[in-house]
Amino acid sequence: MDIKQRIQTLVDLINQANHAYHALDKPTMSDQQYDAYLAELIDLEQRHPELKLPDTPTEKIGGVVLDGFQKIEHRVPMMSLSNVFNEDELRLFDERINKITSEASYVSELKIDGLAISMTYEKGRFTRAATRGDGITGEDVTSNVKTIKSLPLVLKEAWDIEVRGEVFMPHKSFKAVNQERMTNNEPLFANPRNAAAGTIRQLDSKIVASRRLDMFVYAIVEAQQYVETQEEALILLDKIGFKVNPDYHVCNDVNDLIERIHAYDKRRHTLPYDTDGVVIKVNQFRLHDPIGYTVKSPKWATAYKFAAEQMETRLNAITFQIGRSGVVTPVAELEPVMVSGSRVSRATLHNEDYIKAKDIRIGDTVIVHKAGEIIPEVLAVVMSKRDGQKPFMMIDACPVCGSEVRRKEGEADHYCLNPECPAKKTYALIHFASRVAMDIDTLGEKVVETLHTLGYVQTIPDIYKLKQHANALEDLPGFGTKKIDKLLQAIEDSKRQSFDRLLFGLGIKHVGAKVAKILVRHYPTLEALMEADFEDLKNIFDIGDMIAASVVDYFQNEHNRAMLQELKALGLNMTHQTEQVKAHPLNNLTVVLTGKLALYTRDQATALIEKHGGKVSSSVSAKTDLVIAGGEAGSKLKKANELGITIMDEAAFKVMIDDNQ
Ligand code: IVH
């Protein structure tokens, strides 16, 4: 992708959106889409400051998003790093240093792919956090950074100190965030860095907290006041309570460094977060000033960048998947390759326009990457390797039922026009039972397909009548008594599932999980929803014309009304219960107490954790979320450290309790 062109496109899109929102009061895109574009632009500008455009919306104070953050001038500017891309360039870097001093040794650290944050502590208490911004002035993101579990709110020393580190989104959180966005029909974050940058600039700290960011701290500002080397700085940071990446090494010369870099490169895909290189720093602080600085970066450090995560492979065939709404999605069947650490053999091609725009043809060599870490995507064709392949033609008949497939006006997608298409019906049922909707585990894709083909389950109410066929089911291959009992029990249990999940499960067009939640809050019963009219719906914040029309359409349909009445008669919950308990930071966490506590008794601490929705466990394992370490903590603390579990001392625990009454 041409970065310059992308920046121009983003600037135009966001400026138009700003104008539409502020001047015309007619938003042209959703907030989520806006945030995603803005996050992408900020990220590109930070990495390519030379490409920043004079009319960039990121500079405009008074914009929609930037408004919410105070500017903070950095006491010591936050510089960036020069890059090297191969061994030869690294050797040149080393030679330049050797010309000035023969004493330098190096520290190699993983370059975590997130965003740089500076954090200030006064008398050992966390007071504020700022983004890098342009290096001179950053944005005050204190309340957002506060939500990061591994941030120590109170240090083990009552020092005035400023430290710097990288805030990032671990793969696990990233997958969860994108999965949720997919469910809600929101645009996906392209990668964890983008997601972290977008999240830290969220105005709503509750959203930030839910996204589970993490951080590694790698520098002390004016470190020479405390220690003499980078190695000692990392040890000290760890000692006073920061999360420091344990993967650093002191290297005596450039050959040592190169060996280390190879080892990191091999192992990096096994890490639970993204890294894009190795940062190399001269270990001795006293050598830093003599080696010196350029305007933008120190000469005593550099970043060795790993090769990007894209792979070439052959496109063997294009197949078509029929979705729940009948949408036909072309899928690339690929010669399997390893991408970002896992095997990829299929990739989405989105729609006809996508294929035509990139001129993708069967038999081409293509470049594959993972969009948003979860969805393999064909990025481009390697044109130099094309060899007589024929242009792609979109199908005109459904591969499942043979009915006509047609492109809808004004849309990029093709649809199977047959309302009875078996593919649509099973998808509707699979979606209804899925984890994100009614969550009937045991009623997965395969089981639905079998029950559907055999005629036991044609419609949603059929699921709840399945028990009438229990005996017949036992004769089917793969359906033992136990399995059937479990299945019927799970179906029975799902009747108590929340009303919004049921609503989402119905597969009403444009009603994702989030919209379903909004709807039930306004229309807490089936009757209320059935009578909802277009004007009322449209007046609800976050519900636009399209959604309102779709909801009205669905509930006016006699067939749908009858089905819902039937589900009600079968005993499904059709009332929204308001349970709004504010989530406490301890909610749902498994906590281990260890060492001698001074501020609370064990029983008091346990009671507090339980009161706020946490669970206390006696041993540390991978399932532990948080360890609270008192004095003289021993093996449990050690294990927690090894497993990378968040550790808090008692004082920090008290701050968390006091701050979240
Ligand atoms: S040191 C003056 N160490 O890489 C040098 N940076 O341009 C200060 N990064 O934005 C950076 N991991 O956010 C350093 N272990 C590490 C790092 C690291 C990631 C990021 C940092 C900065 C960029 C360098």
Side-chain angles (χ1 to χ4, degrees):
M1 178 184 55
D2 181 344
I3 291 168
K4 204 169 155 193
Q5 208 177 327
R6 182 66 184 160
I7 289 183
Q8 180 71 61
T9 309
L10 288 168
V11 166
D12 290 347
L13 274 169
I14 297 169
N15 281 342
Q16 279 159 17
N18 276 343
H19 181 69
Y21 186 97
H22 289 295
L24 310 177
D25 205 16
K26 264 198 181 157
T28 48
M29 61 176 82
S30 69
D31 288 357
Q32 293 85 355
Q33 178 71 69
Y34 182 93
D35 289 348
Y37 282 148
L38 194 63
E40 187 185 344
L41 180 61
I42 288 166
D43 173 55
L44 286 176
E45 286 180 349
Q46 277 188 359
R47 284 186 297 144
H48 306 276
E50 71 284 1
L51 297 180
K52 212 165 176 172
L53 294 171
D55 61 340
T56 178
T58 60
E59 296 274 285
K60 215 184 294 159
I61 305 188
V64 207
V65 173
L66 301 183
D67 232 8
F69 295 98
Q70 297 274 344
K71 299 268 168 193
I72 288 186
E73 187 153 333
H74 296 298
R75 204 166 51 80
V76 175
M78 289 181 82
M79 300 192 94
S80 59
L81 288 175
S82 61
N83 291 319
V84 294
F85 293 94
N86 52 46
E87 278 183 33
D88 290 346
E89 291 177 15
L90 183 64
R91 286 184 190 280
L92 280 175
F93 164 80
D94 175 58
E95 276 166 29
R96 280 194 297 268
I97 288 173
N98 286 335
K99 275 194 197 134
I100 297 165
T101 167
S102 57
E103 289 170 64
S105 61
Y106 297 107
V107 174
S108 64
E109 297 167 22
L110 278 171
K111 186 168 187 298
I112 312 296
D113 207 4
L115 69 151
I117 299 278
S118 195
M119 286 156 293
T120 308
Y121 286 76
E122 285 168 21
K123 297 205 175 65
R125 288 188 167 254
F126 172 68
T127 53
R128 64 175 199 190
T131 60
R132 177 166 176 271
D134 60 6
I136 304 293
T137 315
E139 285 157 324
D140 184 341
V141 286
T142 308
S143 50
N144 286 349
V145 169
K146 240 189 191 167
T147 68
I148 300 175
K149 286 202 286 173
S150 52
L151 172 91
L153 295 172
V154 181
L155 300 180
K156 293 187 179 138
E157 300 287 348
W159 289 341
D160 289 342
I161 192 169
E162 187 176 342
V163 300
R164 288 174 181 172
E166 194 81 354
V167 166
F168 62 95
M169 189 175 279
H171 290 157
K172 202 170 146 203
S173 319
F174 178 62
K175 277 189 188 161
V177 168
N178 261 354
Q179 212 102 47
E180 191 187 322
R181 290 175 82 86
M182 196 146 68
T183 312
N184 290 335
N185 270 333
E186 291 165 3
L188 299 189
F189 284 119
N191 51 49
R193 175 173 29 79
N194 241 286
T199 301
I200 216 69
R201 308 183 84 266
Q202 267 282 338
L203 286 181
D204 184 348
S205 296
K206 267 192 254 107
I207 297 181
V208 182
S210 74
R211 298 224 182 128
R212 291 180 186 274
L213 296 170
D214 205 344
M215 70 160 76
F216 283 121
V217 173
Y218 53 66
I220 303 177
V221 177
E222 292 168 341
Q224 256 176 302
Q225 292 176 15
Y226 304 86
V227 283
E228 290 180 3
T229 65
Q230 172 66 5
E231 184 193 15
E232 288 164 7
L234 294 173
I235 293 171
L236 181 66
L237 283 167
D238 173 68
K239 215 163 90 191
I240 61 179
F242 290 105
K243 184 161 169 173
V244 172
N245 192 308
D247 248 340
Y248 64 83
H249 299 270
V250 177
C251 296
N252 287 324
D253 58 27
V254 72
N255 292 324
D256 252 17
L257 274 177
I258 289 169
E259 213 171 292
R260 270 293 155 211
I261 289 170
H262 286 310
Y264 282 132
D265 200 3
K266 264 205 198 119
R267 221 162 34 84
R268 67 187 175 114
H269 295 308
T270 62
L271 297 171
Y273 43 78
D274 268 9
T275 55
D276 60 340
V278 180
V279 179
I280 294 145
K281 302 170 184 171
V282 167
N283 194 19
Q284 301 93 330
F285 291 143
R286 68 185 157 82
L287 301 177
H288 285 186
D289 281 354
I291 297 170
Y293 299 81
T294 70
V295 185
K296 281 195 281 180
S297 52
K299 291 189 197 167
W300 44 263
T302 194
Y304 183 103
K305 296 296 273 290
F306 293 134
E309 275 308 289
Q310 297 176 357
M311 291 299 293
E312 270 185 37
T313 190
R314 184 172 183 279
L315 173 66
N316 289 330
I318 296 179
T319 55
F320 298 89
Q321 238 178 3
I322 316 295
R324 179 154 59 88
S325 53
V327 65
V328 180
T329 307
V331 177
E333 304 290 341
L334 303 163
E335 199 55 42
V337 273
M338 292 296 287
V339 184
S340 302
S342 71
R343 207 177 102 111
V344 169
S345 57
R346 305 182 86 204
T348 177
L349 291 169
H350 302 288
N351 53 47
E352 183 185 25
D353 287 353
Y354 187 86
I355 300 176
K356 293 248 155 96
K358 294 184 189 275
D359 190 17
I360 297 168
R361 305 179 184 190
I362 297 166
D364 272 343
T365 300
V366 292
I367 296 171
V368 191
H369 83 147
K370 279 201 201 147
E373 191 71 17
I374 42 178
I375 305 175
E377 193 179 57
V378 172
L379 270 185
V381 173
V382 184
M383 288 298 175
S384 58
K385 296 196 180 167
R386 174 163 288 167
D387 182 21
Q389 284 82 0
K390 289 196 198 69
F392 167 77
M393 291 275 288
M394 188 64 191
I395 48 167
D396 53 13
C398 172
V400 176
C401 71
S403 309
E404 188 186 347
V405 159
R406 199 189 302 155
R407 184 166 172 161
K408 268 204 190 150
E409 249 201 66
E411 284 192 30
D413 289 325
H414 282 71
Y415 289 81
C416 165
L417 298 184
N418 174 11
E420 301 298 319
C421 176
K424 280 189 215 178
K425 291 204 149 179
T426 43
Y427 267 107
L429 295 165
I430 290 166
H431 168 72
F432 181 81
S434 69
R435 192 180 52 78
V436 287
M438 293 297 270
D439 195 18
I440 313 179
D441 59 0
T442 67
L443 190 56
E445 219 163 298
K446 284 260 145 39
V447 179
V448 170
E449 266 163 21
T450 311
L451 295 174
H452 185 258
T453 320
L454 296 174
Y456 291 117
V457 176
Q458 298 293 331
T459 64
I460 293 172
D462 287 348
I463 295 175
Y464 295 93
K465 296 184 213 157
L466 200 59
K467 54 176 178 258
Q468 299 165 10
H469 305 290
N471 288 339
L473 292 180
E474 274 176 33
D475 296 335
L476 297 176
F479 277 78
T481 326
K482 249 201 193 141
K483 184 166 169 176
I484 293 168
D485 282 352
K486 256 178 93 181
L487 173 64
L488 294 177
Q489 189 56 50
I491 291 174
E492 201 54 33
D493 291 347
S494 76
K495 289 182 177 174
R496 290 190 298 275
Q497 195 57 275
S498 64
F499 189 28
D500 62 282
R501 278 179 174 260
L502 169 67
L503 193 58
F504 173 47
L506 296 174
I508 304 169
K509 205 167 170 194
H510 304 308
V511 178
K514 193 167 146 193
V515 170
K517 281 204 177 83
I518 298 173
L519 286 173
V520 298
R521 252 182 270 137
H522 286 82
Y523 304 99
T525 62
L526 174 65
E527 289 68 28
L529 246 179
M530 291 219 262
E531 299 320 318
D533 80 15
F534 181 76
E535 287 303 316
D536 288 348
L537 278 161
K538 222 178 61 162
N539 284 334
I540 300 174
F541 185 72
D542 263 0
I543 305 267
D545 286 9
M546 223 163 55
I547 301 176
S550 168
V551 171
V552 171
D553 235 34
Y554 184 90
F555 287 103
Q556 304 265 302
N557 179 309
E558 279 311 320
H559 174 80
N560 294 336
R561 290 171 82 95
M563 179 189 71
L564 283 159
Q565 294 295 8
E566 190 178 0
L567 286 177
K568 195 171 178 197
L570 283 162
L572 274 80
N573 166 39
M574 299 230 176
T575 314
H576 172 55
Q577 276 98 21
T578 38
E579 82 293 15
Q580 305 312 339
V581 190
K582 188 172 156 261
H584 189 276
L586 283 167
N587 194 31
N588 280 330
L589 297 194
T590 301
V591 185
V592 172
L593 298 164
T594 181
K596 287 197 180 126
L597 300 184
L599 303 170
Y600 305 99
T601 65
R602 282 272 165 142
D603 285 347
Q604 282 171 334
T606 305
L608 280 168
I609 292 163
E610 286 172 357
K611 176 178 155 200
H612 295 305
K615 202 174 78 190
V616 176
S617 152
S618 57
S619 62
V620 174
S621 74
K623 291 204 183 100
T624 311
D625 297 300
L626 173 67
V627 169
I628 295 165
E632 296 164 40
S635 62
K636 286 184 194 170
L637 181 59
K638 188 161 164 259
K639 182 148 184 213
N641 258 319
E642 282 163 12
L643 292 173
I645 291 162
T646 309
I647 298 165
M648 230 182 219
D649 64 8
E650 205 185 354
F653 174 65
K654 183 169 187 317
V655 172
M656 173 155 101
I657 296 289
D658 294 347
D659 282 359
N660 291 284
Q661 285 302 339

